[in-house]
């Protein structure tokens, strides 16, 4: 039963991230240019498509709304719904949910949606594609494979302190 719940919870987290991206590019992908390389961000700002202040505000919104909702949901699901107790039980469940989201993000959002469709193309920056360079793509995979276990351990450790 728990594995099925974890799969569903992972899909919910994927939906949260997807929804944040859909809302973020609703008025054009320049609204989320903070995900692009610095050169692209600078060109978008100098082209007048968005201001630096608006870009910074959008990044803060994405981090606050998207990340806070995502992590709050994960903790409520793992410790509330699934009833995880102790470090290891919480750790592996958090990690499983994050890995589902991470793989979705790397494959669907980064590789397919950003690199293979026109949805994320910012007018006037077509010559700067691919927007996600190999170096950045590798960094994102490293974050997924190494950073997510570290985040999972941290969250599980904090929850162990609160649930004693």
């Amino acid at each position: 039963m728990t594995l099925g719940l974890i799969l569903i919870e992972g899909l919910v987290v994927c939906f949260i991230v997807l929804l944040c991206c859909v809302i973020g590019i609703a008025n054009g992908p320049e609204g989320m240019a903070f995900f692009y390389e610095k050169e692209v961000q600078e060109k978008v700002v100098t082209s007048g498509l968005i201001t630096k202040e608006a870009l910074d505000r959008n990044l803060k919104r994405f981090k606050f709304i998207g990340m806070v909702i995502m992590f709050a949901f994960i903790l409520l699901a793992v410790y509330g719904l699934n009833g995880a107790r102790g470090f290891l039980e919480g750790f592996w469940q958090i990690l499983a949910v994050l890995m589902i989201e991470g793989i979705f993000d790397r494959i669907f959002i980064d590789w397919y949606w950003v690199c293979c469709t026109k949805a994320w193309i910012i007018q006037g920056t077509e010559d700067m594609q691919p927007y996600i360079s190999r170096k950045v793509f590798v960094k994102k995979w490293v974050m997924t494979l190494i950073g997510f276990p570290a985040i999972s351990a941290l969250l599980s450790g904090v929850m162990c302190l609160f649930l004693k």
Side-chain angles (χ1 to χ4, degrees):
M1 172 120 161
T2 303
L3 289 177
L5 281 174
I6 290 170
L7 178 60
I8 291 168
E9 292 158 3
L11 294 174
V12 169
V13 172
C14 292
F15 180 74
I16 291 168
V17 172
L18 179 65
L19 188 60
C20 288
C21 291
V22 168
I23 291 169
I25 68 167
N27 294 321
E30 59 276 352
M32 291 189 74
F34 52 82
F35 277 129
Y36 296 66
E37 297 287 327
K38 289 290 180 199
E39 298 80 26
V40 177
Q41 292 178 35
E42 290 168 3
K43 188 167 185 177
V44 169
V45 170
T46 58
S47 298
L49 295 172
I50 195 166
T51 65
K52 177 76 172 125
E53 295 75 27
L55 203 55
D56 291 341
R57 186 176 55 249
N58 291 352
L59 174 59
K60 288 176 186 170
R61 278 188 197 147
F62 181 84
K63 283 182 177 179
F64 181 75
I65 296 170
M67 298 302 104
V68 169
I69 290 172
M70 182 179 85
F71 285 117
F73 172 79
I74 291 170
L75 294 175
L76 286 171
V78 168
Y79 289 95
L81 185 62
N82 301 357
R85 295 296 176 261
F87 177 81
L88 275 178
E89 191 177 5
F91 170 77
W92 81 261
Q93 290 185 38
I94 294 168
L95 180 59
V97 172
L98 282 177
M99 290 306 277
I100 291 167
E101 184 280 325
I103 291 168
F104 171 81
D105 196 357
R106 299 295 78 79
I107 293 172
F108 177 76
I109 294 179
D110 291 345
W111 177 76
Y112 177 72
W113 198 17
V114 174
C115 294
C116 297
T117 72
K118 296 179 180 183
W120 290 79
I121 295 176
I122 300 174
Q123 190 176 31
T125 65
E126 296 87 353
D127 61 320
M128 303 176 97
Q129 290 180 304
Y131 292 124
I132 302 174
S133 67
R134 287 183 198 261
K135 181 180 175 183
V136 170
F137 201 67
V138 167
K139 283 181 181 178
K140 288 181 170 210
W141 272 105
V142 168
M143 178 58 185
T144 301
L145 299 174
I146 296 172
F148 282 9
I151 291 168
S152 300
L154 176 69
L155 291 174
S156 185
V158 168
M159 290 305 290
C160 282
L161 294 173
F162 284 116
L163 295 176
K164 281 192 171 186

